[in-house]
Amino acid sequence: MSEEKLSKVEIIKKNSRFLRGPLQEELQNDASHFTEEAVQVLKFHGTYQQDDRDLRRELVKQGKERHYIMMIRARIPGGVLSADQYLVFDRLADEYGNGTMRITTRQTFQLHGVLKRDLKSTIRRINEALITTLGGCGDQVRNTVGCAHPHQGPFEEAVRRDLLRLVDETSAKTNAYHEIWLDGERVDPELDRERETLYGETYLPRKFKIGFAYEGDNCSDVYSNDIGIVAHRDGDAVAGYTLVIGGGMGRTASDKETHPALAKPFAFVAPGDLVDVVKAIITIQRDHGNRENRKFARMKYLVESRGVDWFREEAERRLGRKLAPPRELVWRSSDDHLGRIEDGDKVHLGLYIENGRIADRPGFPLKSALRDVIAKYRPTVRLTTQQNLILADLAPQDADALEAELAARGIRLPDAYSPVKLRSMACPAMPTCGLAIAESERVFPKVVERLEALLAELGLADEPITVRMTGCANGCARPYIAEIGFVGRVIGKYDIFLGANVEGTRLNVRFREMVPLDDLVPTLRPVLELYRDERLPGERFGDFCHRVGIKRLNQAVPVSS
């Protein structure tokens, strides 16, 4: 492809010398921020350059530059950390960040508010804890996720081994990361050319997400990934994996051709063939994905334009063998694994973390309470794709004591929260995300509170409805597979989406556009009243909305609402 047709980011990647770019030089200058070229390369190293948007207007009035800050995202395969690793993030959040830790929807931590001058020290400290940020962001395979259920028998351990093997095989091989952040030995980029056989010098056209699930348990929203990998059990062994391909939540509000998509059934593979098949799929996206227009560069658009059959034939050509058809999948639950989980001689405590934000607030010292009990009782820490946290592998007496210590500090177990709150998620949005066009995390708790009150008034307080909010159309909190999705359109206004199913296998559809924040819950009142009055026995809210259809729901809601 001629360079004239390539997007600007593609040219930057091509000229980056395998992700080196100008990072080494710019880290050594006194500027408060990086240049645009460096910003694009930084993403591959797990860092986004942001600025505090709460301060923008006042700084402009004063003729000052923006208050630039860095967001650092780690790569934590499957979301599993040791107690010591968790405590490193806790310390770094206070020493270099804004005092908070953010659990992402991809089972990892983000640190916000790090200054450019502290970036190298922060990344170095993360690496000293045997965790990397390479692959946290950028046009490569991002953090690979999986079911967070803490039970670990032979089957689960085998899936975990396959996940880690796949992570190793699909990680970038460039030496740039060690050179820049860890003062490693400098390597000629031509040597990286020989090693970076999966990605090549321009890596992938866009980000690439892989998720694992156990058949029957879709807590990881496996269909939202570019590749979803579903493990089938054969006693204590892994019978194989069904692969689904072409999922992705992102869309651009101003471009109707962009849209979210759920992954489609692709093939069944034996455990020993998993890595080769996944790498073949990645190379197809590498070679055929759109590198001219980043809006259409995710693999979902390639799958849709060429078709699953073409994709399978191309994968078979590259592999030199036929692929078995996918197995039919049956799902029993998509709920997160929260509460007290008794597991033989171990106990696990799944804690609800509102919107994934671990912070100390007046009357609610969550961050310091977690730090103290993790330091004392040394649990394995498991992050979930629904932004929650599990303290795993505790002796029963330690679990009792830990739970009591949390309760004494006002940290409650999930059974103290409403079903709708436990199934709610929001993206960070303002003031750190540069893409946000509306609030999300900061306003969502009040929206959920109002929704809880309405559900209680209607006699629906026990209904486990999933509700999610994002500050833009990119869909980082996966609003398009929520029974109720709020998606920011402009400051203070949101589109409402309804009708996804709880199994995560059906997208919702837009119900209302440009609804003011304070009108979100009142707009849903007639719909919830209709659900209360006309639902079938045991029918979930999303299934009801899908069954009766948007036209019927619109008839129930006055246009002026």
Side-chain angles (χ1 to χ4, degrees), residues 345-361:
D345 60 352
K346 297 179 181 178
V347 174
H348 318 291
L349 298 176
L351 304 180
Y352 168 69
I353 310 294
E354 186 172 52
N355 300 320
R357 183 71 66 176
I358 299 177
D360 282 345
R361 310 206 185 282

Side-chain angles (χ1 to χ4, degrees), residues 36-107:
E36 177 59 25
E37 180 183 356
V39 165
Q40 294 302 328
V41 179
L42 268 175
K43 294 177 183 178
F44 288 82
H45 297 262
T47 297
Y48 277 88
Q49 180 166 281
Q50 303 175 330
D51 71 286
D52 189 330
R53 296 177 65 177
D54 285 346
L55 302 178
R56 271 188 192 179
R57 185 171 297 179
E58 183 59 32
L59 289 173
V60 168
K61 285 182 182 179
Q62 297 176 16
K64 297 179 179 178
E65 69 174 14
R66 295 178 178 183
H67 178 62
Y68 287 101
I69 48 179
M70 306 293 154
M71 180 272 279
I72 301 173
R73 183 185 297 148
R75 193 183 74 192
I76 306 172
V80 181
L81 303 99
S82 68
D84 284 336
Q85 289 172 326
Y86 176 94
L87 294 171
V88 166
F89 283 99
D90 179 272
R91 287 192 293 271
L92 291 174
D94 291 339
E95 289 182 32
Y96 297 127
N98 65 1
T100 76
M101 301 146 68
R102 187 58 151 69
I103 304 173
T104 79
T105 56
R106 295 204 68 75
Q107 286 181 307

Side-chain angles (χ1 to χ4, degrees), residues 28 156 207 219 282 382 494 526:
Q28 295 171 3
E156 292 82 8
K207 59 187 174 183
C219 67
I282 293 171
R382 291 177 171 267
Y494 302 79

Side-chain angles (χ1 to χ4, degrees), residues 24-35:
Q24 194 76 272
E25 297 78 13
E26 294 193 23
L27 279 167
Q28 295 171 3
N29 66 37
D30 294 329
S32 64
H33 59 285
F34 292 92
T35 63

Side-chain angles (χ1 to χ4, degrees), residues 121-344:
S121 296
T122 308
I123 291 178
R124 183 195 297 272
R125 292 269 294 279
I126 291 172
N127 272 266
E128 288 172 353
L130 304 182
I131 292 176
T132 185
T133 64
L134 181 65
C137 321
D139 298 342
Q140 58 192 316
V141 174
R142 301 283 186 90
N143 194 50
T144 298
V145 303
C147 176
H149 195 286
H151 175 73
Q152 293 298 292
F155 170 72
E156 292 82 8
E157 290 169 0
V159 174
R160 174 74 178 168
R161 286 194 298 272
D162 287 340
L163 184 154
L164 293 176
R165 187 162 57 97
L166 186 61
V167 168
D168 181 62
E169 291 284 343
T170 58
S171 297
K173 306 305 180 188
T174 174
N175 196 59
Y177 187 84
H178 290 83
E179 291 176 15
I180 294 167
W181 308 108
L182 309 178
D183 295 326
E185 180 182 352
R186 289 178 179 264
V187 168
D188 187 331
E190 286 304 309
L191 294 177
D192 280 337
R193 188 182 305 279
E194 298 174 12
R195 294 189 297 199
E196 204 71 284
T197 55
L198 178 63
Y199 288 123
E201 66 180 355
T202 52
Y203 294 79
L204 298 180
R206 278 299 299 272
K207 59 187 174 183
F208 199 98
K209 298 180 177 181
I210 298 176
F212 279 71
Y214 305 132
E215 185 185 14
D217 183 348
N218 194 24
C219 67
S220 60
D221 277 338
V222 72
Y223 291 92
S224 66
N225 291 273
D226 293 87
I227 303 177
I229 302 171
V230 184
H232 298 276
R233 181 189 289 270
D234 180 11
D236 284 339
V238 179
Y241 298 95
T242 288
L243 272 54
V244 295
I245 65 169
M249 292 290 97
R251 52 180 276 268
T252 302
S254 60
D255 193 330
K256 293 183 179 179
E257 296 300 313
T258 64
H259 54 81
L262 294 179
K264 301 170 178 61
F266 179 69
F268 175 83
V269 301
D273 295 330
L274 178 64
V275 169
D276 287 344
V277 175
V278 169
K279 289 174 71 173
I281 294 169
I282 293 171
T283 62
I284 296 171
Q285 163 66 354
R286 179 196 66 197
D287 297 342
H288 294 278
N290 191 323
R291 292 184 183 269
E292 299 178 28
N293 187 342
R294 288 181 66 82
K295 291 181 182 179
F296 297 95
R298 287 292 298 275
M299 194 178 78
K300 64 184 177 182
Y301 296 112
L302 180 61
V303 173
E304 289 176 1
S305 64
R306 298 295 188 98
V308 173
D309 290 341
W310 173 87
F311 221 99
R312 187 181 299 108
E313 291 169 3
E314 181 63 18
E316 290 172 341
R317 185 184 69 79
R318 296 179 183 223
L319 291 163
R321 61 181 184 273
K322 288 288 186 180
L323 291 171
R327 291 189 178 182
E328 186 175 351
L329 298 173
V330 177
W331 301 105
R332 295 184 298 275
S333 173
S334 64
D335 286 342
D336 221 348
H337 300 285
L338 300 180
R340 188 180 177 104
I341 302 170
E342 306 283 348
D343 184 19

